[in-house]
Amino acid sequence: LRAHPQVAVVQEDGCSALAFICSGTNAAALARKQRSVDAGALEAVVAALRAHPQAAGVQEKGCAALWNICFGTDAAGLARKQRSVEAGALEEVVAALRAHPQVAGVQEMGCWALANMCCGSDAAGLARQQRSADAGALEAVVAALRAH
């Protein structure tokens, strides 16, 4: 992802690979999620979303990667969610939903990514929820529900 930031197919495939590698809920999967974050995956995915806003495949796979990486309610999972938001992921996911309203895959993965990033009842979780609303997530999700 870092070596070829302007090549959409590389960004799409890289995001897809991260989504698959980081899927799952067992201890090994949680460790892979954390390892990906330690390697800079969140920032790389956000950069891919920013670089290719009109590439639906990049947007869908980027949202899928964020969905999987941000899963978890333990301390490490909450930290991943927070780091994703600090990297600008919420705003990029909302932008993806707005840019591709008729692409069901973008809408589905974007909604899942938002759900995982906004999960949490601690102060940081409440702040993520408010930031999401301020970014226009509520309207984008309602539009997805109406369109699909």
Side-chain angles (χ1 to χ4, degrees):
L1 292 172
R2 289 184 186 141
H4 303 283
Q6 296 307 316
V7 182
V9 69
V10 172
Q11 300 303 301
E12 180 178 345
D13 292 346
C15 288
S16 184
L18 285 170
F20 283 115
I21 293 167
C22 294
S23 67
T25 59
N26 62 19
L30 294 175
R32 289 191 305 271
K33 293 172 197 304
Q34 192 58 47
R35 191 169 161 193
S36 78
V37 170
D38 293 342
L42 289 170
E43 293 80 6
V45 170
V46 170
L49 293 172
R50 280 188 185 133
H52 302 282
Q54 295 307 312
V58 174
Q59 300 300 303
E60 179 179 346
K61 303 307 183 191
C63 289
L66 291 170
W67 169 31
N68 285 338
I69 294 169
C70 292
F71 176 84
T73 56
D74 62 347
L78 295 174
R80 288 191 300 273
K81 296 172 196 303
Q82 193 61 34
R83 184 164 168 180
S84 73
V85 171
E86 290 167 1
L90 280 175
E91 291 80 5
E92 293 306 318
V93 171
V94 171
L97 293 172
R98 288 179 176 155
H100 303 280
Q102 297 305 315
V103 182
V106 173
Q107 299 300 303
E108 179 184 9
M109 294 301 111
C111 287
W112 276 117
L114 286 172
N116 272 352
M117 286 187 284
C118 292
C119 182
S121 58
D122 61 339
L126 298 175
R128 288 191 303 274
Q129 293 162 13
Q130 186 60 51
R131 182 168 171 172
S132 175
D134 292 345
L138 295 170
E139 294 80 4
V141 170
V142 170
L145 291 170
R146 288 186 174 144
H148 302 279

